[in-house]
Amino acid sequence: MELQTVPFDVENIFAKVKKKQALSKLRGADSPLYKAVWPMTCVVRVFGFAPYSFSQDRLVPSSLIFTVIATIFYSYTLFQVVIRFIGVKRETSTLGGTENTKVIINYSVVLYELILVTFTRSSFVKIWNALQDYDDYVRRLGYPRKEMRTAIVAWVLVIVNTLIWTAINRFGMYAFMESWTYNMGYMLPYVGTSVAIYKFMAIAIFLGQRFHHLNMIAIKNLPFSPTVGKTFVSKQIILNLHNDLMIAGESLESLYSWSLLFWLGSLSLHTISNIYFIIEWMIVKEWKTESWPLIGCLCLWLVAFIVQMILLHIACDFASSQANCIGPIMIEWQVRLMKRFEVDEGSVELSLQFLNRKLKFSAGGCFYVNLPLLRSVRNSYNIYFNYTFLGLCKYLNYQIASSNPLITCPSKLSLGISLTPRKIVPSYRDPVEG
């Protein structure tokens, strides 16, 4: 047998090595995901919620310097705010007690998040590395993810939140006649809480995006499907990738279970109190002494809280719904094989496990955070708004009737709703007996 020499193709070998090096560089700080969200990452790190860094293309726990500085700053701010609140004379005890409670609850929430970040750094970096490993694996399979939309959404969130908090700062300085330093000190713990919420929301959405991407890969590679790509992905590979993402999702849910409960409780308290005081100051207060900058400031605070609550529900619902779609896809996979070949029906029963293993974000084990919960909260807010409005109108009618029994509530305040019996005042044209 005569041996033949094979020519050594330097160009092809060099191209393969260069391609392999290019793929290896798309990790760590050079990954498309990190490049897309780096503005959010910088903000989260400054506020003390990202004590992580990259080491050899892997995210690892790093120094806690920003976390310690943020904890000291938030504690000092709480002390200054409480000292000032003690010296301020409120119109009612309800207003003073509500404001003190809101500040203390928000400080407790942000402090809990800083402590959580400190002791769960290793768990969080595993979640991020799992997302990075998924992106790297599907890129090698020929299904790379595009992060252009993620980058656009990240920049939009940063810009919109900057505008909202800047407007709150300007309105607050004008309405309460405060200095920029004090107003920023009062506001930054609330900004810190919102940053922690957006951090969780971003990771949940990233996880949901990868579940959606994997579902699309599974649908394209269904047996005997005309949409099968050039690279066929086996069922076992899809199941392994889904299992890795499910482990990351379950870790994320376990990590932020109590945080979800605290966030929703704090946001609900602030939303309800703001709605109450806005309605009270617009209805009960006299028009001459009404402070529109104060109402505008409260409305901006209300917008910030409502946006956080809505996005929190959307992120949890998106991640859980996309994670739970793999069950029907796998059943469809087995049904197609059964129609074409003689496959045991037990294989379909084995696929039913994916219908039982579902990802749900629980708020401290009390309830699941999803869009149906948001609709329930909206209905509760509507009922609260109606009862609060009618109660304040009734209270106003009572105050006016007590001061002058012959005067009824103006139509502007009662909005055409008669809450007290209307007394007829005799005019000079009516006949008067006696």
Side-chain angles (χ1 to χ4, degrees), residues 3-217:
L3 298 177
Q4 296 181 356
T5 59
V6 179
F8 183 74
D9 194 346
V10 179
E11 294 182 358
N12 290 338
I13 298 298
F14 181 75
K16 291 181 180 180
V17 172
K18 189 175 181 180
K19 183 178 180 181
K20 186 176 181 180
Q21 291 178 352
L23 290 175
S24 63
K25 289 182 179 180
L26 297 178
R27 296 176 62 87
D30 296 324
S31 64
L33 177 60
Y34 185 80
K35 288 183 177 180
V37 300
W38 70 265
M40 294 182 63
T41 305
C42 295
V43 174
V44 174
R45 181 175 289 111
V46 168
F47 279 87
F49 296 104
Y52 324 111
S53 62
F54 286 102
S55 176
Q56 297 181 355
D57 298 335
R58 305 291 290 181
L59 191 68
V60 295
S62 64
S63 174
L64 294 171
I65 181 65
F66 285 105
T67 306
V68 173
I69 293 175
T71 304
I72 296 174
F73 175 78
Y74 295 148
S75 302
Y76 175 77
T77 301
L78 176 69
F79 176 76
Q80 293 293 327
V81 171
V82 170
I83 291 298
R84 177 161 181 174
F85 278 3
I86 293 176
V88 174
K89 185 178 181 181
R90 305 286 185 179
E91 295 182 2
T92 60
S93 59
T94 304
L95 179 60
T98 303
E99 288 299 318
N100 295 338
T101 303
K102 288 162 57 177
V103 171
I104 294 174
I105 287 179
N106 180 75
Y107 171 77
S108 302
V109 172
V110 73
L111 184 63
Y112 172 80
E113 292 303 318
L114 291 172
I115 296 174
L116 182 69
V117 165
T118 302
F119 291 99
T120 59
R121 291 177 295 166
S122 300
S123 301
F124 184 85
V125 297
K126 291 180 181 179
I127 298 173
W128 178 274
N129 291 330
L131 301 180
Q132 180 178 263
D133 293 340
Y134 172 84
D135 292 344
D136 185 64
Y137 196 94
V138 296
R139 189 184 305 113
R140 296 179 184 276
L141 289 177
Y143 294 92
R145 274 192 46 80
K146 297 180 180 180
E147 303 293 348
M148 180 59 67
R149 293 183 179 179
T150 305
I152 294 175
V153 173
W155 278 105
V156 169
L157 283 177
V158 171
I159 294 174
V160 170
N161 279 276
T162 302
L163 294 177
I164 290 176
W165 289 112
T166 302
I168 291 175
N169 173 251
R170 304 308 299 177
F171 270 82
M173 290 173 57
Y174 180 73
F176 297 100
M177 294 180 292
E178 296 173 344
S179 63
W180 183 86
T181 305
Y182 177 81
N183 191 270
M184 285 296 296
Y186 174 83
M187 191 179 67
L188 281 179
Y190 286 94
V191 180
T193 304
S194 69
V195 169
I197 292 176
Y198 283 116
K199 173 191 172 183
F200 165 79
M201 182 198 69
I203 297 298
I205 290 180
F206 297 158
L207 189 65
Q209 288 176 339
R210 275 135 192 87
F211 276 118
H212 176 73
H213 186 252
L214 183 61
N215 294 335
M216 293 299 102
I217 294 176

Side-chain angles (χ1 to χ4, degrees), residues 309-419:
M309 186 177 296
I310 292 176
L311 292 180
L312 197 60
H313 285 80
I314 291 176
C316 293
D317 186 85
F318 174 69
S320 58
S321 61
Q322 294 299 324
N324 301 332
C325 287
I326 195 66
I329 296 175
M330 289 296 101
I331 293 177
E332 176 67 20
W333 191 301
Q334 293 297 331
V335 169
R336 291 194 179 192
L337 291 178
M338 290 175 58
K339 290 181 178 179
R340 191 66 176 267
F341 306 105
E342 293 183 359
V343 181
D344 186 13
E345 295 182 0
S347 58
V348 178
E349 296 179 357
L350 293 176
S351 300
L352 296 178
Q353 61 176 321
F354 299 104
L355 297 178
N356 298 324
R357 187 186 182 185
K358 293 185 177 181
L359 178 63
K360 295 182 179 181
F361 289 91
S362 171
C366 299
F367 48 84
Y368 294 116
V369 183
N370 46 31
L371 289 181
L373 175 65
L374 182 62
R375 288 191 286 267
S376 301
V377 172
R378 182 197 61 185
N379 295 333
S380 301
Y381 280 172
N382 289 337
I383 296 174
Y384 168 78
F385 176 82
N386 293 332
Y387 276 101
T388 302
F389 180 78
L390 293 177
L392 289 174
C393 286
K394 188 173 182 179
Y395 171 77
L396 183 60
N397 276 327
Y398 174 77
Q399 293 292 332
I400 296 176
S402 300
S403 60
N404 192 342
L406 299 180
I407 301 178
T408 57
C409 179
S411 59
K412 176 180 77 67
L413 299 176
S414 62
L415 298 181
I417 302 175
S418 179
L419 299 175

